[in-house]
Amino acid sequence: MNHKTLKPFPKDFLWGASTSAYQFEGAWNEDGKGPSVIDKASHPEGTADFKVASDHYHRYKEDVALLAELGLKAYRFSIAWTRIYPNGTGEVNKKGIEFYNHLINELISHGIEPIVTMYHFDLPYALEEKGGWSNRETIDAFVLYAKTLFSEFGDRVKYWLTINEQNTLILHGSAIGTTDPNIQNPRKMLYQQNHHMLLAQAKAMKLCHEMLPNAKIGPAPNISYVYPATPKPEDVLAAQNFNSIRNWLYLDMAVFGRYNSVAWSYMEEKGYTPHIEEGDMDILAGANPDFIAFNYYNSITVKASEQEEEAHSTGDQHIVIGESGVFQGCSNQYLTTTEFGWEVDPVGFRITLREIYDRYHLPLIVTENGLGAYDKLEDGDVINDDYRIDYLAKHLEQCQLAITDGVELFGYSPWSAIDLVSTHQGINKRYGFIYVNRDEFDLKDLRRIKKKSFYWYQNVIKTNGAQLFQTAK
Ligand code: BGP
C-alpha cells in the first residue's frame, strides 16, 4: 500500500542500540564470574574468542558516555547469568550485582532507558553439566535468577526481555556453539529443551508482573517472514510450514500459551514432540507478555522440499537449508546479499512487522537489525561505513511505513551499539556505530572511534526519524 502521507515516529520512540554480554564485556573469568556454555564451546579457528571481546567490563563508563553522545534513548544489553550465579544457582556473586548496578546507574544518569535481556545464549556451564535445558531443574534455576534480577534491578529497569532468540537456539544451536555437534539426532532433545525454556519464560513473565507491576516484559525471538519461492501451492505450503516452525511456534506460545498447530503436527510427524507434565499447559497459558521484541536481519525464501535433506543449519544462524518433506531453503533473486552472504530485505522488514502485529496485536520493539561488514579504519581515525547507513536508513524507512500501516512500534534498537565479537565470525565482522580498535588476535589499544554511521544515527535520533537519508559528517 502506498501512503500519501507518512505518520511520524512516535514522540517518545525508544531509539536504541544493542549488545550482548558475552560478545561485548570480556572479563570472562573476572570478579567471580563462572563459565558459561559459550566460554566452554569450541571456537571457530582464525576468529577472536570472547575472553576480552570489546573489554566493556572495564570501559563501561566511557562506553555509556559515547552512547549518550550518540543520543540514545534506550540501550539494550544482556546480563551474564554467570556473573550473578557463577554456578547457575546457589550463591549470588555480589561483584556481578555491583557491575550491573553501576552500568544501570550510569545509563540512567545519562537519561538512557535500560532494556535488559535476561539470557542471551550464555547458559551457566554448571547447569549444562547437569543436563542444561534438558533438565527441568534449569527452569527453577532460571526463575531464581529472574527473581534476583527483578529484586536487585527492578527499581530502575522497566523493560525486560526473557530469552534472546530461543528459536535460533533450537534451530541453529550448532552455529552458536550451544548444541553439541557430536550428537547424532539432536532434534527430539532440542524440542524438549524448547518446552522447558517456554515454561521458564512463562514463569519469569508471571513473576515479573507479580514483583514489578510497573515493569514490562516480553520474549525476544528472531522473526523473519518466510516467502514461498513461487505461487505454486506446494511452495506456499512449504512457506507456511517454515513460518510455523521458525516463527509462530515461539510467539503463539508466548502470547496465546498454546502450541502452534502446524508446528505441533511437524513435531508429531518427526517424532520430536516434547514430554509435557501435568500443569505445564496451565503455566504456559497463564503468562502474558506486555510487548513483543524481535530481531530481524533478513527474510527467508523456501520452496517445496524435493530432496532428502535433514540439516537445518549450515553453521551460520541466518542461512537456511531445509528439511525433507517440510521445506527447502532457496535464494531470492530479488534481493542482494551482504559481504557475509546474508540477504538484505528492508521491505521484508515491513512485511514482518505487519505480520507480527496482525497476529498478536501487541506493541512491538525491534531489538536487533544491522549490517555486518569489514570496516576499514582510514588515516585520521575515519570509518566511512556508508553501506551501514544505507542498510539502516532503508530499514528505518520501512519501520515508518509499518507505523503508517498501523503497527504499534515503540522502539528500534539496532545491532550493535559498539563493535563486538560476532557469534561465530570474529571481531572483523563489525556492526557498531563505534569502532573498537582491535583485530582478531591483536588487542591493540581497544580504543573507541566514532564511525560515519555514528553521526548519521545521532542526527536521526535528534530529528526523531525525520531525516533518515541525510548524509552526515
Ligand atoms: C543474532 C544474535 C546476536 C548476534 C547477531 C549477528 O542472531 O542474537 O548475538 O550475534 O545475530 O550475528 P553474527 O554475530 O553471526 O553476525
Side-chain angles (χ1 to χ4, degrees), residues 20 22-23 76 120-121 164-165 168 222 295 297 316-318 342 368 372 415 421-425 429 431:
S20 85
Y22 75 91
Q23 293 173 277
R76 177 216 175 197
H120 192 124
F121 300 160
N164 178 68
E165 295 195 359
T168 306
N222 180 302
N295 303 343
Y297 288 88
D316 186 315
Q317 76 264 35
H318 291 276
W342 293 14
E368 284 182 36
W415 189 262
V421 180
S422 149
T423 297
H424 64 283
Q425 287 171 305
K429 185 185 193 185
Y431 284 89

Side-chain angles (χ1 to χ4, degrees), residues 14-289:
L14 291 179
W15 295 99
S18 299
T19 62
S20 85
Y22 75 91
Q23 293 173 277
F24 193 40
E25 287 177 0
W28 72 292
N29 60 357
E30 283 182 43
D31 288 342
K33 180 182 171 296
S36 75
V37 289
I38 298 280
D39 297 320
K40 295 282 186 178
S42 60
H43 202 72
E45 238 175 83
T47 59
D49 61 24
F50 302 108
K51 292 194 164 83
V52 177
S54 304
D55 198 33
H56 171 67
Y57 189 78
H58 299 114
R59 296 167 193 248
Y60 74 91
K61 276 196 181 194
E62 177 193 351
D63 287 346
V64 173
L66 281 164
L67 300 183
E69 188 186 335
L70 180 57
L72 291 192
K73 307 285 182 212
Y75 170 56
R76 177 216 175 197
F77 62 97
S78 77
I79 290 184
W81 188 340
T82 51
R83 280 200 200 285
I84 307 298
Y85 282 104
N87 296 311
T89 175
E91 283 289 297
V92 171
N93 175 32
K94 293 254 162 30
K95 287 267 184 194
I97 303 278
E98 199 176 291
F99 171 69
Y100 293 109
N101 266 330
H102 286 155
L103 174 60
I104 290 165
N105 292 343
E106 198 68 18
L107 289 165
I108 288 175
S109 74
H110 283 88
I112 302 174
E113 185 80 53
I115 300 178
V116 171
T117 316
M118 299 164 67
Y119 161 46
H120 192 124
F121 300 160
D122 49 358
L123 184 76
Y125 191 68
L127 297 178
E128 182 67 15
E129 283 184 306
K130 289 188 256 163
W133 283 109
S134 296
N135 183 345
R136 281 183 78 101
E137 283 174 22
T138 299
I139 304 172
D140 304 329
F142 186 75
V143 175
L144 173 72
Y145 168 57
K147 194 171 177 191
T148 306
L149 298 189
F150 298 152
S151 65
E152 295 289 343
F153 310 123
D155 56 334
R156 287 152 294 153
V157 174
K158 281 195 284 201
Y159 293 94
W160 297 91
L161 312 175
T162 53
I163 302 176
N164 178 68
E165 295 195 359
Q166 183 176 328
N167 54 340
T168 306
L169 279 170
I170 301 304
L171 296 169
H172 303 285
S174 50
I176 301 170
T178 48
T179 306
D180 183 346
N182 301 316
I183 296 180
Q184 276 306 309
N185 181 12
R187 300 253 153 234
K188 168 96 183 144
M189 178 193 83
L190 283 166
Y191 281 104
Q192 187 65 54
Q193 296 190 351
N194 187 47
H195 182 69
H196 294 159
M197 277 190 232
L198 291 168
L199 284 165
Q201 167 171 274
K203 287 187 169 199
M205 292 198 294
K206 194 151 183 272
L207 185 67
C208 180
H209 291 140
E210 283 161 12
M211 289 177 68
L212 308 171
N214 296 322
K216 292 181 190 305
I217 188 162
N222 180 302
I223 303 296
S224 298
Y225 193 63
V226 182
Y227 302 139
T230 73
K232 191 172 144 198
E234 288 77 3
D235 289 346
V236 177
L237 274 175
Q240 284 189 330
N241 289 343
F242 200 45
N243 266 312
S244 288
I245 294 165
R246 185 193 192 283
N247 297 322
W248 314 140
L249 164 58
Y250 301 87
L251 288 179
D252 283 5
M253 185 56 89
V255 180
F256 304 136
R258 57 165 164 71
Y259 272 103
N260 173 279
S261 49
V262 171
W264 185 261
S265 81
Y266 156 80
M267 289 189 273
E268 278 183 336
E269 170 64 28
K270 298 278 174 182
Y272 300 155
T273 48
H275 168 71
I276 299 178
E277 288 198 358
E278 209 186 316
D280 282 2
M281 294 317 292
D282 293 337
I283 293 169
L284 292 165
N288 299 299

